[in-house]
Amino acid sequence: MSTGSLAAPDLTTRRAPGLGGFNLTVLRLEVRRLLRNRRTVLFTMVLPVVFFLAFGLNSAYANEADGHGNVSAFIMISLALYGAVLATTSGGAMVSIERSAGWSRQLRLTPLSPAAYIAIKMLTALVLGLSSMTAVYIVGGITGKPTMPVYLWIITALCVWIGSLIFAAYGLFMGYLLPTENVMQILSFTLVLFAFASGLFVPLSQFPKLFQQIAQYTPLYGLNQLVHAPFLGGGVHVAWVANAAIWLAIFAGGAAWRMHKDTARV
Amino acid sequence: MTNVNLGPGSRPGGAAQSLAIEIQGLHKSFGSVEAVKGINLNVAPGEVVAFLGPNGAGKTTTIDVILGLSQPTAGQVSVFGMQPRQAISRGLVSAVMQTGGLLKDLTVEETARYTASLFAHTRPVSEVLQRAGISDIADRRVGKCSGGEQQRLRFAMALLSDPELLILDEPTTGMDVEGRRSFWGAIRHDTAEGRTVLFATHYLEEADAYADRIILLRHGLIVADGTSSEVKAMAAGRTVRATLAGADEAMLRAIPGADGVEVRGETVLIHSNDSDAVARYLLMSTQARDLEIAPRGLEDAFIALTSDDTDGDMTSTGASR
């Protein structure tokens, strides 16, 4: 191969990286970046804790039996889910800052595939979701109000954490779709709507019939039912799983599609 | 020549060596605006090529297509015989962009390590930071770096994959003279190893000082393509200025040796490589007076070759290579 001119590059030794460029170095650096953003980390931990302290300890209903424990435990699961999805959405939406900095375009000049990047960003957002969920469960434990068997503390916590992945994808997709300046305002607002429509803040039975029917197709509905299922012990509906899986596919697919398209100069 | 097989057995003695860049009939439109109107370009491995032209000439659009960041409206582009995206994923091509492309909340070293981790084959991060002259600020947050330091970081990132082709899109825009000189010093040092370089610039002196070959672009077309001295030769003519009432532009254009003619009221400007002949003609055959003959600099040639008010005549001279 060295018989060509001096400049003839030996292209045969060059190859593309495996897994579309996915690797642990990037994952570690992304988590480090995220944790440097203290304001977001604190906000997504404090907000659901404050909600829990405000609504989860009310002695008028908190100690009433519910599922395998009491109402306070049910509310703790709900607000841990709200905190976790708020956190993962924020984590995902940080991609809008990267877009405005031209970082997405820079990444298009590397072997990193959109799918690998989406996977890295979703896993990173999960770290933020973990901190938010953990904060609610620790405060819940300290107050001593929520009661349920130990294994349910663990199982529901895991369900909340892993389930919040759907909203990491949501944050990413919207981060690519919406303008940077107001992406979090828009997302916080939609999350409140999704939370109401999923019955997370107020039981759906208190809403009109039409609203209840539409609500079943909204993105947080399936997830909210699923994370409470172990606690309530009433089994799992295929519709909940389908709701969660379809929304995850829509958000993750949308994010990968937008990243692929995002080569605009800044 | 369109498809070069890169299989190990298919390059007997390097004879079927693929071009670093091969562009055929490239057109790129944005809506109704045609940014690139048919560019053909071959760049051989090891060449250092300057894309020179004013804003809107199609430099960055062409570069974006070479990098696979945008798709041609028509035409073929290949890089080392591959689709641009394939060449990128093998780390064969990298680019230093003018602005953006950095995260403020990472340090210099973290940014380089992040980028390096994405490639299958890279140079060591510490070595590359050294070569870009930013080892001493490795722990500094990118947001706290000066424009010149950020540009050196972009350069370091581009070097990480040890690319065969390095593309620089107006890399020194906004730098002061000293920053520009030391940036080019680093590039020159690097390209001594036979890397192919394509850079866009609107600084003539940069093109002159650092490129083996200068390609002048205007309105999405190549108007001149040659070595620095060939382009200078095109610019070597003089401008004859005279006062001539009722000048007939077509008649002036017909003067032997006149390359470009401008009529501004009673003043006529004639660009020519044979200014003596033009002056003689003007004095002997017309009523011209107040003759002045001035040499034309590279700057003027650049303006003449790329400006709107000279049509046809300069282009034909330029594209003759």
Side-chain angles (χ1 to χ4, degrees), chain A residues 1 3 7-9 11 14-17 23 26 30 32-33 36 101-103 105 108-112 263 265-266, chain B residues 8 11 13 17 45 60 64 69 85 89 91-92 97 100-101 103 105-106 110 114 117-119 141 161-162 164:
Chain A
M1 280 300 126
T3 44
L11 305 179
R14 300 299 199 120
R15 57 185 180 85
N23 70 83
V26 164
E30 285 285 356
R32 199 187 286 183
R33 278 186 65 212
R36 277 177 189 160
W103 182 248
R105 179 177 157 92
R108 296 293 296 148
L109 298 176
T110 73
L112 186 63
T263 56
R265 220 169 290 127
V266 294
Chain B
R11 290 201 302 164
Q17 200 186 102
T60 304
D64 278 2
L69 291 173
R85 185 68 207 151
S89 66
L92 289 167
M97 296 305 192
L103 293 173
D105 50 4
L106 286 178
E110 284 169 345
Y114 190 125
S117 76
L118 303 175
F119 290 90
R141 291 274 173 92
S161 67
D162 199 12
E164 295 295 342

Side-chain angles (χ1 to χ4, degrees), chain A residues 3-21:
Chain A
T3 44
S5 75
L6 175 78
D10 185 5
L11 305 179
T12 55
T13 61
R14 300 299 199 120
R15 57 185 180 85
L19 299 174

Side-chain angles (χ1 to χ4, degrees), chain A residues 22-39:
Chain A
F22 181 91
N23 70 83
L24 294 179
T25 303
V26 164
L27 196 56
R28 270 197 300 272
L29 285 168
E30 285 285 356
V31 170
R32 199 187 286 183
R33 278 186 65 212
L34 190 75
L35 298 180
R36 277 177 189 160
N37 195 336
R38 297 218 177 80
R39 215 166 48 162

Side-chain angles (χ1 to χ4, degrees), chain B residues 85-294:
Chain B
R85 185 68 207 151
Q86 287 180 297
I88 294 236
S89 66
R90 284 170 171 77
L92 289 167
V93 189
S94 60
V96 178
M97 296 305 192
Q98 212 178 129
T99 52
L102 294 172
L103 293 173
K104 288 190 171 70
D105 50 4
L106 286 178
T107 68
V108 167
E109 186 268 347
E110 284 169 345
T111 307
R113 199 145 45 86
Y114 190 125
T115 308
S117 76
L118 303 175
F119 290 90
H121 164 90
T122 52
R123 310 292 311 164
V125 167
S126 56
E127 176 200 305
V128 168
L129 293 183
Q130 179 95 43
R131 278 163 76 173
I134 46 174
S135 304
D136 51 330
I137 55 162
D139 294 327
R140 191 176 296 176
R141 291 274 173 92
V142 170
K144 296 210 162 77
C145 291
S146 72
E149 287 164 347
Q150 292 190 354
Q151 198 59 341
R152 278 156 172 272
L153 174 56
R154 287 189 194 98
F155 176 50
M157 289 157 77
L159 288 183
L160 277 166
S161 67
D162 199 12
E164 295 295 342
L165 170 63
L166 182 61
I167 292 180
L168 309 154
D169 189 8
E170 304 194 4
T172 58
T173 301
M175 280 191 199
D176 58 17
V177 175
E178 185 45 46
R180 224 186 285 168
R181 190 173 299 149
S182 74
F183 180 79
W184 281 108
I187 301 261
R188 175 174 266 184
H189 184 256
D190 181 72
T191 53
E193 293 161 27
R195 215 190 288 285
T196 313
V197 176
L198 173 71
F199 67 94
T201 182
H202 48 240
Y203 296 116
L204 285 157
E205 62 275 28
E206 275 186 3
D208 186 25
Y210 303 104
D212 304 332
R213 178 176 165 197
I214 296 177
I215 292 170
L216 272 170
L217 287 164
R218 178 189 141 200
H219 293 326
L221 288 168
I222 292 176
V223 294
D225 180 350
T227 63
S228 175
S229 55
E230 280 173 314
V231 172
K232 271 186 177 162
M234 273 184 245
R238 293 195 170 93
T239 302
V240 181
R241 183 193 183 101
T243 305
L244 177 60
D248 174 2
E249 199 171 323
M251 183 268 285
L252 295 174
R253 279 181 195 281
I255 300 173
D259 291 334
V261 173
E262 259 180 81
V263 178
R264 299 176 190 159
E266 294 213 333
T267 304
V268 297
L269 291 160
I270 302 174
H271 306 292
S272 172
N273 286 322
D274 189 355
S275 53
D276 292 342
V278 172
R280 195 171 295 123
Y281 178 88
L282 283 176
L283 291 172
M284 313 257 301
S285 314
T286 70
Q287 298 300 312
R289 56 195 165 82
D290 300 338
L291 231 69
E292 281 173 31
I293 301 179

